[in-house]
Amino acid sequence: MKAIQISGLRQMQIVSVPEQELHADEVLLRLEYVGFCGSDLSTYLGKNPMVKMPVIPGHEIGAVIEKVGANVPEGLKPGMTVTCNPYTNCGKCASCRNSRVNACQHNETLGVQRNGAMREYIVLPWEKVIPAGLLTPRTCALIEPMSVGFHAVSRAQVTDIDVVLVIGCGMVGMGAVVRSAQRGATVVAADIDDEKLELAKQMGASYTINTKTEDVHARLLEMTSGFGPDVVIEAVGSTQTYQMAVDEVAFTGRVICIGYAKTEVSFQTKFFVQKELDIRGSRNAQPSDFRAVIHYLERGTCPVDRLISKEVSPEEAPEAMQQWADNPGKTFRILVRFQ
């Protein structure tokens, strides 16, 4: 069976792997489209501390059920279009005990701590397979990254009286923009790329700020009558954006952290106390977030084609990853087409 493997720094190749055995509680999926995630790019660049190398990347899945095991519920049938929850949960740690399985202490995400979905077929527990209704497998490959943004909005407890600043308009940030707008909030999208900011407006942002060319602080005060945003969602993972989130959020505001900063970040911790901030992490997504994204995509209002930067075959994937590494700011999603 054909698969894509990252074996080292900027090393990606096509490999042959054995077919997986199907057990009674499992589903065999035929992969149609799999998206490259930012974590895959970090792995490729040697900057992902959580990855176990070598690894088959991929956890943004659009697939069709090929076969089901004997104990799989009748709701999952061959021929159905599905996506997948790519996270594991142990059922025993503090997070699982508190029903926040997305933050399981011992989570192993497909394509990071265990081999992922960049292959022709994969076997998964039936509980991780999510029916996607009438969505195409191509669209399904966008569900997981958007669900991470949706989950961040849930963590922020966004309401219709909030001004929400989303820093970073990649796929995860776009998910946060969409979900915040759905909840009636006034959304401000911030990024260094005008094309992404234009798309963020199409997806629900009321205002945009180019953080490279504009005075972020002045613009935010102007937009919020001097108060600052009630919620800041950090979806980049850099020293500058983490500091911006704490500096710009309103007094008694909420800061939601999604991105992993690659270096240590220094803060004016007095703002934590003076502003009485709620600073919350947001990790992965809950099953309800996946369902919410599917519901959103089923409406047909999402500009799916604009979110997909490139479609490639497995053989073209190494070159596409190299191009993404050389120019990361211009890419939303690269999809690998397996069938």
Side-chain angles (χ1 to χ4, degrees):
M1 177 172 61
K2 183 187 302 181
I4 296 170
Q5 184 185 73
I6 300 174
S7 56
L9 178 62
R10 291 182 179 261
Q11 295 179 8
M12 177 181 287
Q13 57 274 324
I14 306 299
V15 298
S16 179
V17 297
E19 295 183 3
Q20 297 173 282
E21 183 180 353
L22 180 66
H23 297 105
D25 294 316
E26 295 176 329
V27 176
L28 173 64
L29 301 181
R30 182 178 75 247
L31 280 308
E32 299 276 344
Y33 289 89
V34 183
F36 274 125
C37 173
S39 64
D40 299 326
L41 178 60
S42 293
T43 298
Y44 180 74
L45 295 174
K47 298 179 179 180
N48 189 344
M50 296 180 292
V51 73
K52 294 181 180 179
M53 299 283 280
V55 68
I56 297 172
H59 54 255
E60 301 176 357
I61 295 170
V64 174
I65 296 178
E66 184 80 5
K67 190 176 179 180
V68 299
N71 295 340
V72 173
E74 292 186 2
L76 296 174
K77 299 179 183 297
M80 290 179 65
T81 298
V82 298
T83 191
C84 301
N85 182 328
Y87 325 120
T88 65
N89 56 283
C90 69
K92 300 176 182 179
C93 70
S95 299
C96 291
R97 185 176 62 182
N98 291 326
S99 299
R100 289 164 66 176
V101 296
N102 57 293
C104 174
Q105 182 179 350
H106 307 291
N107 167 63
E108 293 185 347
T109 299
L110 283 174
V112 186
Q113 294 94 345
R114 58 187 173 132
N115 281 325
M118 286 283 179
R119 60 177 93 182
E120 293 176 287
Y121 294 89
I122 192 170
V123 171
L124 293 173
W126 70 263
E127 296 94 338
K128 298 298 182 182
V129 178
I130 303 172
L134 299 177
L135 297 181
T136 66
R138 179 174 179 263
T139 300
C140 285
L142 304 180
I143 293 172
E144 191 276 340
M146 292 194 76
S147 74
V148 176
F150 273 46
H151 182 65
V153 173
S154 294
R155 291 284 292 144
Q157 299 175 297
V158 170
T159 73
D160 57 355
I161 63 172
D162 288 321
V163 176
V164 179
L165 170 65
V166 178
I167 306 174
C169 293
M171 278 295 299
V172 171
M174 287 298 187
V177 168
V178 169
R179 194 58 165 163
S180 297
Q182 285 183 333
R183 292 190 174 201
T186 300
V187 183
V188 183
D191 200 278
I192 61 173
D193 186 89
D194 286 331
E195 185 177 348
K196 289 183 177 181
L197 291 172
E198 178 191 349
L199 183 54
K201 268 202 164 183
Q202 186 176 342
M203 298 183 74
S206 298
Y207 304 97
T208 62
I209 301 175
N210 187 315
T211 58
K212 195 173 184 178
T213 61
E214 298 181 74
D215 185 329
V216 176
H217 182 67
R219 288 290 314 281
L220 287 172
L221 291 182
E222 176 188 344
M223 295 171 187
T224 62
S225 301
F227 291 106
D230 305 283
V231 175
V232 179
I233 297 176
E234 197 288 328
V236 176
S238 74
T239 299
Q240 294 83 359
T241 52
Y242 262 85
Q243 291 171 338
M244 181 189 299
V246 172
D247 290 348
E248 300 301 341
V249 71
F251 274 64
T252 67
R254 288 99 75 197
V255 176
I256 310 300
C257 307
I258 309 175
Y260 283 98
K262 305 302 186 292
T263 58
E264 292 185 1
V265 182
S266 298
F267 291 104
Q268 289 286 346
T269 54
K270 66 179 182 180
F271 289 152
F272 297 5
V273 178
Q274 287 179 345
K275 293 185 176 183
E276 199 175 53
L277 298 180
D278 290 334
I279 300 177
R280 305 174 185 176
S282 182
R283 184 182 181 192
N284 300 331
Q286 290 270 24
S288 59
D289 301 307
F290 283 85
R291 294 196 301 271
V293 174
I294 291 171
H295 183 62
Y296 161 65
L297 291 172
E298 284 178 331
R299 297 176 184 173
T301 58
C302 178
V304 169
D305 290 338
R306 292 195 63 186
L307 295 175
I308 299 171
S309 304
K310 185 180 295 186
E311 292 182 28
V312 297
S313 68
E315 290 75 15
E316 295 168 329
E319 181 181 356
M321 180 61 83
Q322 177 63 55
Q323 292 173 351
W324 188 17
D326 292 340
N327 191 14
K330 287 294 183 181
T331 299
F332 278 107
R333 270 303 174 270
I334 298 171
L335 300 188
V336 180
R337 183 179 59 252
F338 278 90
Q339 305 295 332

